[in-house]
Amino acid sequence: MPVQSFSRVADAFWRAAAYCLHPRVIALSLLPLLLAAALALGLGYFFWEQAVAGVRATLESWRLIETLLGWLSYVGLGGFRSALAPLLVLALSLPVVVVLSLLLVALLLTPTAVNLVAQRRFPLLERKRGAVFVQSLLWSLGHAALALLALLISLPFLFIPPLVLILPPLIWGWLGYRVFAYDALAEHASVAERRQLLRLHRLPLLGLGLLTGYLGAAPAAIWAFGVMAVALAPLLILVSIWLYTLIFAFSSLWFSHYCLAALQELRQSRSTGAAPVELLTPIPSLPRQEES
């Protein structure tokens, strides 16, 4: 990533961190958290037993797995046998929790985050409304489905130790990049401007999404309790949703600061007759509008 692009990402980073302390952001971050927690706990209450029973029956129908579980019982690890099915249900539920948290933040918090950044940093930035809410919703849902499909396809590779630390963050990073960058530009950029910015700033935005993906993968570490995770599942689910909501709220502000600054720079270059900013060609920095 060029030095100039790195400075833009870093500038957007510290601004997003500061905006996370804004009372409006804190208040609105609770809404996705409450909705996701209520939905997750509701589904767990009504379908947990059926899901565990279904996974256990499937495992017992596989001769190799049944032989392995019998051996574990023989050597005194019968507790793992009883906990395997619930652990698998939790592992399969985690990607759904991640996607649900990201979508709720994108749909409920990102518009407010974009408006807050625009009002405080770019009050004169024209709103060309290149995408409406329905378009953003369909865009987010479509990419979420592709991310879940990619994760499903990559499941066999997750048993290879190095790949389990690489593939999920890459998938979540790609999803965050595609969703948050689109939503950050939906209100202010025209369709042509959005496409141009996503092309010119593809590498920095992908890098920003990758960092977001690794931040989003961090909460999975709280499930490293092994068999104890089954007993602590309701608490761990709530903590996971809370952490994912905080991370994706920060990511939404990060993309908003970066994308709106890039949009303003693009329009300034047009008004002065300069060539569009190419990321691989250094240019003199343009004055920024001061925050109020």
Side-chain angles (χ1 to χ4, degrees), residues 97-103 105-106 109-110 172 175-176 180 212-213 215-217 241-255:
V97 171
V98 176
V99 171
L100 178 63
S101 300
L102 188 148
L103 289 179
V105 168
L109 192 144
T110 299
W172 301 138
L175 177 61
F180 288 132
T212 299
L215 288 175
I241 293 174
W242 174 63
L243 290 175
Y244 285 127
T245 302
L246 291 179
I247 289 171
F248 292 138
F250 167 76
S251 302
S252 176
L253 285 164
W254 198 0
F255 274 94

Side-chain angles (χ1 to χ4, degrees), residues 35-255:
L35 289 177
L39 184 57
L41 293 179
L43 291 174
Y45 178 80
F46 288 106
F47 299 105
W48 173 261
E49 295 295 336
Q50 297 91 319
V52 171
V55 171
R56 181 174 288 118
T58 302
L59 292 176
E60 291 175 351
S61 67
W62 293 350
R63 184 176 300 275
L64 180 60
I65 299 295
E66 181 61 23
T67 302
L68 176 62
L69 293 177
W71 178 80
L72 290 174
S73 299
Y74 176 76
V75 297
L77 297 177
F80 182 78
R81 177 190 180 101
S82 61
L84 181 58
L87 285 173
L88 286 175
V89 173
L90 290 174
L92 294 174
S93 302
L94 189 59
V96 179
V97 171
V98 176
V99 171
L100 178 63
S101 300
L102 188 148
L103 289 179
L104 287 175
V105 168
L107 297 176
L108 300 177
L109 192 144
T110 299
T112 300
V114 172
N115 287 331
L116 181 63
V117 173
Q119 290 170 8
R120 292 172 64 88
R121 287 192 65 197
F122 312 104
L124 302 180
L125 194 62
E126 181 184 356
R127 298 171 183 257
K128 295 189 177 182
R129 295 177 172 84
V132 296
F133 176 78
V134 175
Q135 291 174 306
S136 296
L137 176 61
L138 294 176
W139 179 272
S140 299
L141 291 176
H143 284 81
L146 290 176
L148 288 175
L149 178 61
L151 194 66
L152 181 63
I153 295 174
S154 67
L155 279 179
F157 301 99
L158 300 184
F159 293 97
I160 303 175
L163 295 182
V164 73
L165 300 175
I166 298 175
L167 290 179
L170 284 177
I171 295 173
W172 301 138
W174 174 83
L175 177 61
Y177 151 63
R178 297 296 291 175
V179 171
F180 288 132
Y182 185 96
D183 288 344
L185 295 169
E187 177 70 13
H188 290 79
S190 66
V191 175
E193 286 175 331
R194 183 180 68 244
R195 291 173 178 171
Q196 184 177 8
L197 286 171
L198 293 180
R199 176 177 58 83
L200 291 175
H201 295 262
R202 181 180 291 112
L203 288 180
L205 289 173
L206 279 173
L208 201 159
L210 181 60
L211 293 174
T212 299
Y214 274 99
L215 288 175
I222 68 174
W223 295 94
F225 289 97
V227 175
M228 287 183 60
V230 177
L232 299 174
L235 175 62
L236 293 181
I237 288 175
L238 291 177
V239 173
S240 296
I241 293 174
W242 174 63
L243 290 175
Y244 285 127
T245 302
L246 291 179
I247 289 171
F248 292 138
F250 167 76
S251 302
S252 176
L253 285 164
W254 198 0
F255 274 94

